[in-house]
């Protein structure tokens, strides 16, 4: 029967949906296998939704690659984005439709400190107001302090290439923590140091747009970890108000991007390079957060082995952003030593990323060994058709429940994203939202996945 269905799909010219057929899209009792108090919600970032910004990204958006192609697909610009700066109430209404109990969002450094030492108190006040409204709605704010964008005064000075950023970010963190301590207990210092560095220095598709520079890329990750250590210490020193009375005033996370890497063939070389890639991209950051030792190596280019003060024990929870699996083929002539491909014949999202829920189970059970409780701080897919989102959601939550049964301590899930938004180099083409944005009115319109999302949330034990 299953074969017949697959054949019909093939004959209709559809992709065979291997990986999505196994569980289907039934919600049923899904959610009951999550622990009491499990946080259930969505994630966004300031640059992708607020609109009206002037930062390292808006500058990059205006530029082009040496061959003339625009930096952003279709020459899109973030400009007004989803206008969330002015439409928080609409965003909140969308979260309430989802039955959400958490919202992960970022505060925009370029807005709060547009010039060094010059603070925008009105903007701070607005973020505080958002947090108050979230709490009043029973939604736990999870605030990210750095999510890819930098003020121009910071990027002009070299961004994470310049050690000055460590103290600048520490000061910024203190200020934000002081202002939001009464509302916020969950703090994400940095979003995806590995992605920031790889996209900005290897792929060249994020600012500063440098290509094949694995030496600087690696130094940037190390700098981000130094900054994180100081930010974490600042948060713990400043925020001593337990906003929700659960016994914790400050819980520090890093939102760490993990990606399953497997060798494209069983050859010894592909296997070795897949292992190196996995260590660099997936393991090095949690290892550093646990031990304080930053150990990062690109053979033939750079090795950093450094004990960073304050890094060991600097997170209370590990945040994992999980999307996909890549197959690794060795290519010793390229800067990354590899070419990455998707496995043939598997369902993919609109960006060609394979839908691979087993990978999430794999990371949750693997990183359980570090001993931290974990939160899935991002997980989602670009799906313009909207047909894959519900099965994707069901399968990934199923993977989380399975990981919990297998011993992982998982405390929350934030779907990327609340609504379609400015997807960096992909512009507005890639649609990750549980809500779409009506083009002329910017109204938030629910997709078919809102009801199943809410139904899963309603099954979580209270
Ligand atoms: C992650 C980013 C997030 C979003 C998703 C699709 O790497 O953290 O901002 O772009 O990918």
């Amino acid at each position: 029967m299953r074969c017949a269905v697959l054949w019909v799909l093939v004959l209709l010219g559809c992709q065979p949906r291997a990986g999505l057929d196994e569980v289907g899209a039934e919600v049923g009792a899904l959610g009951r296998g999550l622990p009491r108090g499990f946080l259930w919600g969505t994630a966004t970032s300031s640059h992708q939704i607020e609109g009206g910004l002037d930062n390292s990204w808006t500058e990059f958006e205006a530029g082009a690659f040496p061959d003339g192609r625009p930096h952003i697909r279709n020459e899109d610009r973030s400009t007004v984005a989803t206008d969330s700066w002015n439409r928080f109430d609409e965003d909140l209404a969308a979260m309430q439709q989802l039955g959400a109990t958490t919202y992960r969002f970022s505060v925009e450094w370029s807005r709060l400190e547009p010039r060094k030492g010059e603070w925008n108190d009105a903007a701070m006040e607005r973020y505080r107001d958002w947090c108050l409204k979230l709490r009043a709605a029973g939604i736990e704010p999870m605030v990210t302090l750095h999510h890819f964008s930098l003020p121009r005064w910071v990027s002009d000075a070299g961004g994470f290439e310049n050690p000055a950023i460590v103290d600048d970010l520490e000061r910024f963190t203190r200020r934000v923590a002081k202002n939001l301590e009464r509302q916020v207990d969950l703090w994400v210092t940095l979003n995806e140091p590995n992605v920031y560095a790889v996209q900005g220095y290897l792929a060249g598709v994020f600012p500063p747009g440098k290509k094949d520079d694995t030496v600087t890329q690696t130094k940037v990750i190390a700098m981000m970890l130094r900054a994180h250590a100081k930010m974490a210490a600042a948060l713990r020193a400043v925020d001593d108000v337990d906003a929700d009375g659960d016994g914790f005033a400050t819980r520090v996370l890093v939102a760490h991007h993990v990606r399953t890497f497997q060798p494209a063939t069983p050859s010894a070389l592909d296997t070795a390079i897949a292992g190196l890639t996995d260590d660099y991209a997936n393991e090095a950051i949690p290892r550093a957060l646990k031990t304080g030792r930053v150990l990062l190596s690109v053979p033939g280019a750079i090795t950093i082995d450094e004990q960073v003060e304050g890094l060991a024990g600097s997170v209370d929870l590990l945040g994992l952003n999980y999307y996909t699996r890549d197959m690794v083929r060795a290519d010793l002539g390229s800067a990354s030593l590899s070419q990455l491909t998707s496995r043939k014949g598997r369902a993919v999202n609109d960006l060609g990323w394979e839908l691979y829920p087993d990978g999430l189970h794999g990371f949750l059970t693997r990183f359980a060994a570090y001993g931290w409780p974990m939160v899935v701080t991002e997980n989602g897919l670009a799906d313009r058709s909207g047909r894959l989102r519900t099965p994707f959601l069901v399968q990934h939550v199923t993977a989380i429940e399975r990981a919990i049964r297998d011993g992982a301590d998982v405390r929350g899930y934030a779907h990327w994203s609340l609504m379609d938004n400015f997807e960096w180099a992909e512009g507005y083409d890639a649609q990750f939202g549980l809500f779409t944005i009506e083009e002329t009115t910017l109204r938030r319109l629910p997709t078919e996945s809102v009801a199943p999302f809410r139904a899963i949330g309603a099954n979580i034990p209270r």
Side-chain angles (χ1 to χ4, degrees), residues 48 147-148 191-192 257 321 323 378 416 423-424 432:
Q48 295 177 273
H147 195 128
F148 294 167
N191 183 66
E192 301 187 339
H257 180 95
N321 294 0
Y323 289 89
E378 285 182 28
W416 187 274
E423 180 47 37
W424 311 113
F432 279 87

Side-chain angles (χ1 to χ4, degrees), residues 3 71 73-74 78 106 139 164 166 201 203 209 222 241 271 286 306 318 324 332 359 369 386 390 402 408 425 433 441:
C3 257
H71 278 158
R73 187 184 291 273
N74 303 326
S78 54
S106 70
I139 299 173
V166 175
Y201 295 87
V241 181
T271 305
E306 179 192 328
L318 182 64
T324 191
L332 300 186
T390 301
R402 195 155 58 84
T441 63

Side-chain angles (χ1 to χ4, degrees), residues 238-295:
V238 173
D239 179 0
D240 51 12
V241 181
D242 177 2
D244 57 7
D246 69 351
F248 298 102
T250 300
R251 311 215 84 189
V252 179
L253 298 86
V254 166
H256 173 44
H257 180 95
V258 286
R259 219 172 167 87
T260 306
F261 293 109
Q262 287 173 0
T265 73
S267 82
L269 190 57
D270 284 354
T271 305
I273 298 294
L276 283 174
T277 308
D278 174 69
D279 188 78
Y280 187 98
N282 295 323
E283 197 72 45
I285 288 175
R287 181 172 59 219
L289 296 171
K290 193 75 193 176
T291 64
R293 182 178 175 195
V294 177
L295 180 56

Side-chain angles (χ1 to χ4, degrees), residues 279-360:
D279 188 78
Y280 187 98
N282 295 323
E283 197 72 45
I285 288 175
R287 181 172 59 219
L289 296 171
K290 193 75 193 176
T291 64
R293 182 178 175 195
V294 177
L295 180 56
L296 283 161
S297 179
V298 181
I302 183 172
T303 296
I304 293 179
D305 185 351
E306 179 192 328
Q307 198 68 31
V308 171
E309 203 192 312
L311 189 57
S314 59
V315 294
D316 302 295
L317 301 157
L318 182 64
L320 296 179
N321 294 0
Y322 174 78
Y323 289 89
T324 191
R325 161 168 77 172
D326 281 328
M327 307 310 287
V328 181
R329 189 176 291 279
D331 175 2
L332 300 186
S334 79
S336 66
L337 310 175
S338 65
Q339 301 293 337
L340 303 179
T341 53
S342 285
R343 183 132 167 224
K344 298 255 172 326
R346 306 275 304 183
V348 295
N349 77 14
D350 292 346
L351 294 173
W353 305 355
E354 182 191 342
L355 311 183
Y356 185 59
D358 281 352
L360 180 56

Side-chain angles (χ1 to χ4, degrees), residues 1 4-5 10 16 82 101 113 128 166 177 216 229 245 288 365 399 420 435 438:
M1 174 61 190
V5 171
V10 171
T82 61
T101 57
E113 193 182 6
R128 198 191 358 253
V166 175
T216 315
T365 48
D420 295 340
F435 286 76
E438 196 178 58

